[in-house]
Amino acid sequence: MNEEQRKLCRGLIMSPRGSREISKETFLQRFPSAVDDGGLALKWLDEAYRARHAKDLDCSLIVGFVFGFTPEHVVILCRLVDADWHHSHEDVVSALDELRTPAAAEALFRATRWVPKYLEFDDSRALASKAIWALGKLAGGEAESKLAILAASDDEFLRNAALKQIERRRRSVVR
């Protein structure tokens, strides 16, 4: 990805006023190879991962959030959860949360237990919190199993957050 393409991607970011620098339509006219079949070009995520290029990853994620992620993105997003060369872990977890696939349960679980160096200052544990919420929204036994492990954790934050998700899941099943 070149700098002009990165600028186009950043133009898709929604401002606090609810507008974008460029429209989705203009983006597609100026950068038609960015999107395949309504989803982020997998090639970009893979290239950013292989090259360990954080700026290209950021841009790929922006396009994914604007145009949508597909189940084909799950494998690369799960790999990105563990990569230590970028600062987009919360966005990667959010993308996995949008996809709501049980195939992401293990990666989301790993995101609850690892604090990247750049997030060591974050006492609110936003990455772990997002990952636990995402686990709580997944159907199936693997997500339940991961939440049960977290609920038995010595880490008070993880334990309490997991217990809340387990309770939330129970309440939603009862209704």
Side-chain angles (χ1 to χ4, degrees), residues 69-137:
F69 293 100
T70 65
E72 289 77 23
H73 296 97
V74 173
V75 171
I76 189 70
L77 289 167
C78 287
R79 278 192 237 141
L80 286 163
V81 164
D82 302 311
D84 63 359
W85 50 265
H86 67 85
H87 292 177
S88 299
H89 294 89
E90 289 181 48
D91 290 334
V92 170
V93 165
S94 292
L96 290 169
D97 184 23
E98 278 190 18
L99 289 167
R100 300 245 167 96
T101 176
E106 178 61 34
L108 292 168
F109 177 72
R110 291 192 312 268
T112 68
R113 302 177 69 119
W114 176 54
V115 179
K117 199 157 200 59
Y118 75 96
L119 289 176
E120 288 177 349
F121 75 93
D122 182 11
D123 293 334
S124 68
R125 307 273 303 270
L127 176 61
S129 182
K130 284 182 180 187
I132 291 169
W133 269 93
L135 272 171
K137 295 174 193 173

Side-chain angles (χ1 to χ4, degrees), residues 33-36 38-47 60 63-64 68 73:
S33 65
V35 177
D36 295 328
L40 173 68
L42 287 172
K43 170 180 99 156
W44 277 11
L45 278 175
D46 188 56
E47 286 174 1
S60 298
V63 174
H73 296 97

